[in-house]
Amino acid sequence: MTQPNRRRFIMMWEQIITPFENQYLSAFVASIPISFLFFTLYSRVRIHIAGFLTLLVTTGVAIFVYGMPFKLAAWSSFYGGMTGMFSIGWIMLSSLFLYKLTVKTGQIHIITWSIQSITRDHRLQCLLVALCLGAFLENLAGYSTSVAITSGILVALGFRPIYAAVLCLITSISFGFMGVPIITAGLTSDIDMMAVSQMVGRQLPILSFLLPFWLVFILAGWKGTKEVWLPILVCGISFAGVQWFAANYIFLSIVNTLAAVTTMIIMVFFLRNWQPKDVWHSQKTSSFYPNEKISFSTVLSAWLPYIIMTIFIINWSFKPVQDFLNTFTVYVAVSTLNNTIIASGKPIEVYLSLSLLSSVGTVIFISAIINAYIYKVCHKELITLLGQAVRNLFLPLVGISLIIGVSYLMNWSGMIASMANVIASANGLLPMFAPILGWLGVFITGSDVSSNTLMAKLQANTAQIVGFDPVLTVAANHSGGAVAKMISPEAIGAAASATGLNGREDDIFSYTLTHSLFFLSFLCFLTYLQAYTFKWLIPSYHKVLGITAEMVNYKIEGYKLMILMLGLVLVLALFSSKLKGKDNKQNEHTNRVKTL
């Protein structure tokens, strides 16, 4: 006798935004997990322990205060943790693997020498590497890739690891990966994305102008800053000026790229004619500074992994290529969570996206493999380096994944909405609180894209109700999130792994928190002034619905662009390998002559 089919019933649960009758009390209880996480990290608790304890606290609040079923709470945090492990973890692992490979092959010495040939002063090297190179990589790669690479280079230049990590984290203030966060904010809030870019371009460049002074002051104090005030001023004016111009009159996707490249070129020419009287070092100089001149081909070979990575990333960012690569993406509906949590009257769709090919981490990993081919690194050494990277990142990644699980649980249980409602009820003070929402969103989710997706519509709607221009609050949401990148657990984990400070993420957080809060306070005050005193700074625009034509008007097929890119990279790799062989023969000949 056959058993009758038993129908599987899926549990449905609707978010409760105000578990208490008082919305302020509800928001206070909702903020307990964030406060606890801040407290544990600031108290120098290891990131994986802090993440685990915070997850326990968050789960307790979600179940006993917000009434979320235990099964949904557990799956929400697990899903968030796995998302962080596979997306952010892959990028961090690839970045560290590439850096370890450059150290193994000795390329890092050539890279540091090429920077030292411009200036041997650590204050100015900080501006070239942390600010210019960091902004360039952040625009092209995002996801804390710039922090991982630039902080490792600074350590190789002789910077103290803690300073290298902190300086590179502070310079992570940007428009985001290819302007995607601002594009997301515009689409989510139904505001022209160029208007959002223009408004952000009238906020962040002010911080960018102050940033070179801030970095050098952290590194060398007031006396050391006064000694190099002229190149600091040149750097600040160049970076902020180009950033403002590009954000307002060109296109938001290449704002930081243009600012970084222009400033780097200007600084190189400036430093050829001006150097400080006394060379200043934070700790020690690099151990590699050859007396003989190194050939251009050697320098090119050393920088080639990052040049190839840049070419890959630019190609990967084109929409046709993304569309082509996304055809290989597998979307798996998480049955336990999919359409079971109701938020704002609509069920939340939950899919597990397995998109390894389109990930930035894959781009970096391929660049590392090409670099290994050029320098003839054997498979055994590659596996050893990869194993070292995995061991170095294991505990930090566990901690980061736990914290991302906390962010998903807070979002899907309704805690984020509880806090957002209170901030949105500030009425006349709303512009001052708008950056705080973005700051909280990035700290919790680790992503300015996620923060803008979560908060932009709320910011726009609330501004219209209160009577403010919504583009101001939407832009402030992104700007506030930008200054939270320096305390994001993902970015801190990337900096710690690149500088050999694994297990000291709490120390880095303690250093960067003060700076993040200062920049946030400055943005709150600036947004308030722009809302009341400097209204003329708010751009005029038209509301739009849907995706603009410039985002979808592509005619070149994705696979053709990929073939062109692969051909260019192959030519570069073969050319560099040939030059490397000539350099080796020349060095052998020189050594034989010296011996004779």
Side-chain angles (χ1 to χ4, degrees):
M1 183 176 179
T2 60
Q3 294 288 336
N5 292 330
R6 294 184 178 180
R7 188 174 180 178
R8 182 173 174 266
F9 292 95
I10 299 177
M11 174 177 53
M12 304 287 288
W13 177 78
E14 186 171 1
Q15 284 183 352
I16 301 173
I17 307 303
T18 53
F20 303 100
E21 293 183 1
N22 189 307
Q23 66 172 353
Y24 296 99
L25 179 59
S26 299
F28 173 76
V29 175
S31 67
I32 290 176
I34 297 178
S35 303
F36 184 82
L37 180 60
F38 268 95
F39 174 77
T40 52
L41 289 176
Y42 196 75
S43 301
R44 310 295 175 89
V45 178
R46 297 290 182 88
I47 189 170
H48 58 284
I49 299 175
F52 177 72
L53 294 176
T54 305
L55 181 60
L56 292 180
V57 172
T58 310
T59 303
V61 174
I63 294 173
F64 297 109
V65 177
Y66 281 80
M68 191 178 197
F70 173 79
K71 187 176 181 180
L72 291 182
W75 271 96
S76 297
S77 56
F78 178 76
Y79 173 82
M82 289 298 100
T83 301
M85 182 70 75
F86 287 111
S87 58
I88 299 170
W90 174 229
I91 295 170
M92 290 174 59
L93 179 63
S94 300
S95 300
L96 184 59
F97 177 57
L98 175 62
Y99 176 73
K100 282 183 173 293
L101 192 59
T102 59
V103 173
K104 177 69 176 179
T105 57
Q107 292 167 272
I108 194 65
H109 298 310
I110 309 297
I111 290 173
T112 56
W113 175 86
S114 65
I115 296 171
Q116 288 174 328
S117 66
I118 301 172
T119 178
R120 299 191 71 181
D121 192 288
H122 276 185
R123 296 166 296 187
L124 302 178
Q125 289 176 357
C126 170
L127 299 181
L128 292 173
V129 176
L131 182 61
C132 296
L133 182 59
F136 178 77
L137 292 173
E138 180 69 19
N139 195 172
L140 292 178
Y143 302 101
S144 305
T145 305
S146 63
V147 174
I149 293 173
T150 55
S151 57
I153 292 176
L154 286 184
V155 170
L157 284 166
F159 283 68
R160 291 177 58 191
I162 191 69
Y163 276 108
V166 169
L167 292 171
C168 293
L169 283 166
I170 291 174
T171 56
S172 59
I173 301 173
S174 73
F175 279 64
F177 168 55
M178 298 302 292
V180 171
I182 295 178
I183 294 173
T184 303
L187 294 175
T188 305
S189 60
D190 295 331
I191 298 175
D192 181 11
M193 68 182 71
M194 196 60 194
V196 180
S197 172
Q198 290 172 337
M199 193 67 243
V200 174
R202 299 168 195 190
Q203 294 174 341
L204 287 186
I206 299 175
L207 294 181
S208 297
F209 173 75
L210 299 174
L211 208 51
F213 292 92
W214 195 265
L215 293 173
V216 177
F217 178 76
I218 294 171
L219 189 63
W222 177 245
K223 181 182 177 181
T225 304
K226 287 193 299 182
E227 293 173 353
V228 290
W229 69 269
L230 186 56
I232 290 175
L233 184 63
V234 170
C235 182
I237 292 176
S238 171
F239 194 89
V242 176
Q243 197 178 53
W244 167 81
F245 182 79
N248 281 274
Y249 300 107
I250 302 181
F251 190 57
L252 54 96
S253 291
I254 56 173
V255 170
N256 270 25
T257 297
L258 288 178
V261 172
T262 303
T263 304
M264 180 75 81
I265 293 172
I266 291 174
M267 288 294 290
V268 168
F269 278 101
F270 178 83
L271 293 175
R272 286 187 182 277
N273 301 292
W274 188 97
Q275 289 289 334
K277 293 180 180 180
D278 298 317
V279 177
W280 188 92
H281 296 123
S282 65
Q283 179 179 240
K284 60 182 180 180
T285 57
S286 173
S287 58
F288 183 82
Y289 197 83
N291 295 323
E292 298 180 2
K293 186 177 180 181
I294 297 179
S295 66
F296 172 75
S297 59
T298 302
V299 175
L300 176 63
S301 296
W303 279 100
L304 192 65
Y306 300 106
I307 296 173
I308 291 175
M309 184 185 73
T310 301
I311 295 172
F312 267 114
I313 291 171
I314 291 174
N315 187 272
W316 243 249
S317 65
F318 289 138
K319 190 174 185 298
V321 176
Q322 282 287 309
D323 291 342
F324 172 70
L325 293 174
N326 284 333
T327 58
F328 300 96
T329 300
V330 178
Y331 297 94
V332 181
V334 183
S335 59
T336 308
L337 292 172
N338 189 37
N339 293 322
T340 59
I341 301 175
I342 301 174
S344 302
K346 297 180 181 179
I348 299 175
E349 293 184 353
V350 181
Y351 292 88
L352 183 62
S353 174
L354 304 177
S355 53
L356 186 62
L357 285 179
S358 59
S359 171
V360 176
T362 302
V363 175
I364 301 171
F365 190 81
I366 292 174
S367 303
I369 297 301
I370 294 175
N371 180 45
Y373 162 76
I374 294 172
Y375 277 81
K376 296 179 173 57
V377 180
C378 68
H379 297 90
K380 186 177 180 180
E381 289 178 324
L382 279 179
I383 295 173
T384 301
L385 292 174
L386 187 60
Q388 291 175 358
V390 171
R391 287 194 298 272
N392 290 343
L393 286 176
F394 179 73
L395 287 180
L397 273 182
V398 169
I400 290 168
S401 298
L402 288 169
I403 292 174
I404 295 177
V406 168
S407 72
Y408 273 78
L409 180 55
M410 290 187 67
N411 186 20
W412 287 348
S413 65
M415 297 183 210
I416 299 294
S418 295
M419 292 184 289
N421 281 348
V422 170
I423 295 177
S425 65
N427 294 326
L429 295 177
L430 177 64
M432 183 175 288
F433 285 99
I436 298 176
L437 271 179
W439 187 81
L440 285 173
V442 170
F443 174 73
I444 295 169
T445 64
S447 166
D448 39 14
V449 175
S450 300
S451 175
N452 289 343
T453 302
L454 190 66
M455 304 292 188
K457 188 66 174 179
L458 174 66
Q459 295 268 27
N461 291 346
T462 308
Q464 288 175 327
I465 293 172
V466 177
F468 293 104
D469 194 318
V471 74
L472 176 63
T473 54
V474 171
N477 189 86
H478 175 81
S479 299
V483 301
K485 292 295 288 291
M486 66 183 76
I487 60 169
S488 167
E490 295 91 329
I492 290 175
S497 62
T499 56
L501 295 175
N502 299 106
R504 294 188 60 189
E505 292 83 3
D506 48 341
D507 292 333
I508 299 174
F509 177 82
S510 300
Y511 276 103
T512 56
L513 178 60
T514 304
H515 305 292
S516 181
L517 290 174
F518 172 81
F519 286 127
L520 176 63
S521 302
F522 180 86
L523 278 175
C524 291
F525 181 66
L526 175 65
T527 309
Y528 186 80
L529 289 179
Q530 289 175 334
Y532 289 101
T533 307
F534 304 116
K535 290 183 179 181
W536 51 272
L537 284 174
I538 301 176
S540 57
Y541 62 96
H542 299 286
K543 285 194 67 175
V544 296
L545 293 174
I547 301 176
T548 58
E550 59 187 322
M551 291 184 61
V552 294
N553 189 22
Y554 294 94
K555 296 181 180 180
I556 303 177
E557 295 181 18
Y559 74 92
K560 294 180 180 179
L561 280 174
M562 287 193 65
I563 292 173
L564 289 174
M565 178 271 301
L566 289 171
L568 177 60
V569 169
L570 181 61
V571 170
L572 277 174
L574 293 175
F575 178 69
S576 178
S577 181
K578 189 174 181 180
L579 288 178
K580 185 66 181 172
K582 288 183 177 180
D583 282 341
N584 290 337
K585 290 181 180 179
Q586 181 64 35
N587 292 336
E588 291 175 2
H589 175 72
T590 303
N591 292 334
R592 283 198 301 269
V593 170
K594 287 181 178 180
T595 303
L596 294 174

